[in-house]
Amino acid sequence: MAMATITLGHEAMATEFHATVLADDTGYARQAMAAAWHELDRLECALSRFRDDSDIARLNRLPTGGETSVGVDTFHCLQLADQLRRHTSGAFDVTYRSQTPAAPDQRLRLNPRGCRVRVLAAGVEIDLGGIGKGFALDRMAQLLDQWDVRCALLAASSSTLVALDPPPGTTGWPVQVGPARDARHPQLARAAISGSGVARQGRHIFDPRSQRPATANASAWALAATGAESDAWSTALMVLSADEARGCLASHPIGGAWQLPNAEPSTRLVTLRSEQP
Amino acid sequence: MKRRDFLVVSAAALAASNLPAAEAAKPIELALIGAGNQGRVLANAAVLTGQVRFRAVCDIWKYRRDPAIALLKNYGPEPKAYEDYRQLLAEEKGLDAVIVATPDFVHAEQTIACLRAGLHVYCESMMAATLADARSMVAAMRQTGRLLQIGCQRRSNPRYLHAKAKLFQEAQLLGDVTALVAQWNQPYSDDAGWPRRFALPDDLLKKYGYADMHQFRNWRWYRQHSAGPLATFAAQQLDVFHWFLGTLPRAVLAAGGVDYSKEHQWPDNGMAVLEYALPERVVRANYQVLMTSSAGGQGQFEMLAGSDGAIKLSENPKYAGIYHEAHAPDWDDWVRKRYLVKVGLPPEDKPAQGAATEAPTEAAVRETGQVVPYDMPIAVEKPVHQYHLENFFAAIRGQARLNSPADAVLASEAVALRITSAIQSAKREEIAPADLG
C-alpha cells in the first residue's frame, strides 16, 4: 500500500497544533492522532495557568511554605524545567513572573515522593508557557510511537516542531532557521526545533535574571532531542548573549543553536552550535 | 434532612470528630477497577487528595493498566496488577474501598461483589446499563450497609452547591421556575481505535463480553454494554434538576436515531421533553444530546429558568452564567452579600449615575429590556472529580454523608432510561413514581 499524507489540526494551549503524518493506513493514523489530541487536551488541563482547576493554578495560589501534590505530568514538567533552568544559567525559568527577591533556586522545592511541590517564598508564580507546548508534543510523539505511526511531524503553531521518523527516502523533515536572507536548513529527524522571537508577539520574552524584557536578540532557534528542551532553550537563547550561550552550551550541548542579534536590520544569523553541516 | 441543615451537621462533625488522630490520618486503602480514560482521571484526582493509598489496579487491557500503575507508584507503594476483579477481591485483604470505572454493563456485577466483600464503592455514572441492574446495586448497598457513591460529581461541585443553596433556595433568584433546559453537544469524532500491537486476543475479549477490539473500545455505542450516550448524559444532567427541585418528571416525549454513524446501535442525536408537576405549576425540560456537532460551540449545560432570571450551570465555567430579567427586582443585595458578581452590560446600555436627562418629547420605542449577566464568585479550584471523591472519603471516615448515594440518584437513572424507551415507542410516556424507585 502506498503511503499517503494527512494533515490535521487541533486547538489547545491557546495555540493551533498541527500534525503531518505519512501512513499506509490513513484511517488508522487518524485514530492515532485522535488519541494524541486527547493526550494534549489532558495535559492542558494540568499545565495551564489560566484554568482555576489546574495543577499550576493551584500552585500559584499556595501561600509561602504551602505544599501540595500535583499530577505526575506536571511534576515531570517542573523537574525538566528546573534542570533546564540550571543548564541555561537561569536564562530559562518558569518562575520568571514571580514578584520575589528569593533566588530562583529558592522558590520551589520538588519532592518526587508523592509528586509534592512546596512554595518557598512569597510571590512565586509559575508559567509553563516556555516549555509546556514542547513537553506536550513529546508526549504526543511517544503515543504515536506506541501506535507504530512513526513518520510524522508535530507542531505547536510554528514555534516548536517535533519530528518522528522522516519521510521515506529523506534524511529529515526540512525546516528553515533564520531570516530568508540568511537562512539555515537543518533536517529534522527524531528531534525537535523551536524558534522564539519578538517579531510576531512583540517583546514578550523576559530575562528572568533582570525581570526585564530580553533585548539582546531579535530571534533565536534551538534544535534538541526533545520538544521540551528545544522550547526552553529557544527562550533561553533569546535572553543570553552569544558568549553566555556558548558557555552554557559547552556544558550542556544541544543539537543546534542560533541567534539573530538585535542590532541592525542587516545582522546575520549567528550559529552558536550545529551538529549538521 | 434539608441540604442546608446537612451542611451544618457535617461541618460540626468535622470539627468535633471522635476519630483518633492516627485513624483520621490513616490513608484509605483503595483499588481501581477500570483504568481507561475515566479511571485515570479518577485515580489522579484521588491521589491529589493526599488521603489514599492504591493497593491494586485492575483492567483487562495491559495497555491501560500499566500506565495507571506507573502513575500511582509515584504516590505510594506500587499497586499490584490484576486482569480479573474477582482475583483482586480474593487476594487483596485490607482494602477499604474501590473505584469502579469500567464499562457500564459490568458496573452492577463488580459493584455488588465489592460491597459484599465489605468494601465501600465509588462507581462511575451511569450506574448500570439497565434499571434492573441499577436497582440491584441499591439493594446491595442497603443489605451490606456499605457506602455506594455514584459519579454524579456535579452534586459535589462548589459552584453547583452555591447555586442550589444560596441562589436558588435562599435568594430565590429565579422567581417562579417556568422551564428547564439542558444539553450535551459535542463535535463528531470518529470511533476510537487502538494501537495494533497492544490489541487484546479474541479469546480474552470474548471472555469479558466483547465481540472484538472495536466493540471494546467503543462500548458506549452498543446496547449490550451501555444504555447509550443520550441516557448516559441525561442521567447526570437531569439529576441536577431533580436535586434542585426535589421533583421527578411525570411524562416524557422523545425522538432520536442512529442518523449519522450507521454502525452504532444507540442514537447519535436525541431530543426529549420532560414534564414536571411542581406544586404551583407544570414545567417542562427541553433536553438534547448531539454527538455529531457542537452546534455552534454551546457545549454542555443545565439551565433552570424562571420569571425573574435563569441559572445556567456547567462543569465548564465558560458555558455558565446567571441572567437577570430586565423587569425583575434588582439583585443588588445579593451582590453586596457576595452571592453574585455582576459581569456587566455593554457600555451603551449602562445609564450614567446621576446623569441629567432631558424630558422626553415623545415616547421612546425600544426593544425589550436586556437580560443582565451575572456570575458566581466561586471558582472550581480542583479537578471536578476531586470534590466528589473527597466527599466519598469523608463519608468513609464518618465525617460526612454521601452527596450522591446510589439510592438518591437511582431515579435520575430511571428517567434517563425512560427517554430511550420513549424514543422506541415514539409517543408520550407517562411515568409513575413506582417506575423510578
Side-chain angles (χ1 to χ4, degrees), chain B residues 351-374:
Chain B
Q353 247 179 19
T357 52
E358 291 180 12
T361 53
E362 57 188 343
V365 181
R366 302 186 59 182
E367 61 183 307
T368 307
Q370 193 163 348
V371 172
V372 181
Y374 289 75

Side-chain angles (χ1 to χ4, degrees), chain A:
Chain A
M1 194 187 294
M3 273 190 149
T5 304
I6 56 169
T7 56
L8 299 164
H10 189 84
E11 198 174 315
M13 300 182 174
T15 301
E16 274 291 331
F17 284 72
H18 297 279
T20 305
V21 184
L22 271 72
D24 295 328
D25 183 343
T26 54
Y28 181 71
R30 280 177 197 280
Q31 289 178 328
M33 277 310 305
W37 298 137
H38 185 271
E39 180 72 355
L40 172 62
D41 291 339
R42 193 183 66 77
L43 289 168
E44 181 182 15
C45 291
L47 303 181
S48 169
R49 71 187 170 96
F50 299 108
R51 290 179 58 113
D52 288 330
D53 60 350
S54 76
D55 285 335
I56 296 305
R58 280 191 302 119
L59 287 174
N60 285 341
R61 285 191 298 266
L62 280 184
T64 308
E67 182 175 308
T68 189
S69 281
V70 296
V72 170
D73 305 300
T74 306
F75 192 80
H76 288 165
C77 193
L78 288 170
Q79 277 184 316
L80 261 176
D82 191 49
Q83 184 184 73
L84 288 159
R85 177 184 59 75
R86 286 182 272 112
H87 290 185
T88 61
S89 295
F92 170 74
D93 185 350
V94 294
T95 65
Y96 75 93
R97 302 177 68 90
S98 304
Q99 300 294 315
T100 175
D105 62 352
Q106 297 298 316
R107 293 174 181 173
L108 297 173
R109 181 173 300 148
L110 306 179
N111 180 359
R113 195 181 166 88
C115 296
R116 296 190 72 77
V117 182
R118 179 184 288 264
V119 173
L120 301 175
V124 171
E125 188 175 348
I126 303 166
D127 176 0
L128 297 179
I131 189 171
K133 297 182 189 72
F135 181 82
L137 289 172
D138 292 337
R139 291 300 179 85
M140 292 168 64
Q142 288 169 11
L143 193 139
L144 292 182
D145 271 331
Q146 291 172 358
W147 284 66
D148 298 307
V149 172
R150 300 197 182 277
C151 184
L153 182 68
L154 306 175
S157 178
S158 57
S159 64
T160 294
L161 307 176
V162 171
L164 287 84
D165 290 348
T170 71
T171 57
W173 297 85
V175 294
Q176 177 182 306
V177 163
R181 59 187 157 75
D182 188 23
R184 307 289 186 277
H185 300 279
Q187 302 282 308
L188 205 60
R190 292 289 164 181
I193 194 162
S194 298
S196 293
V198 295
R200 284 209 182 163
Q201 297 176 40
R203 201 161 292 284
H204 69 295
I205 293 177
F206 279 76
D207 184 341
R209 302 167 303 179
S210 65
Q211 297 258 318
R212 301 176 64 83
T215 55
N217 301 293
S219 304
W221 292 264
L223 194 156
T226 68
E229 288 172 283
S230 68
D231 202 355
W233 267 102
S234 73
T235 305
L237 291 170
M238 279 292 290
V239 169
L240 295 165
S241 71
D243 284 344
E244 290 172 328
R246 285 192 182 96
C248 294
L249 290 164
S251 311
H252 302 286
I254 57 174
W258 299 266
Q259 287 176 326
L260 190 66
N262 203 12
E264 301 153 22
S266 60
T267 302
R268 297 185 67 81
L269 190 70
V270 176
T271 300
L272 299 163
R273 181 180 169 79
S274 177
E275 289 178 350
Q276 296 185 16

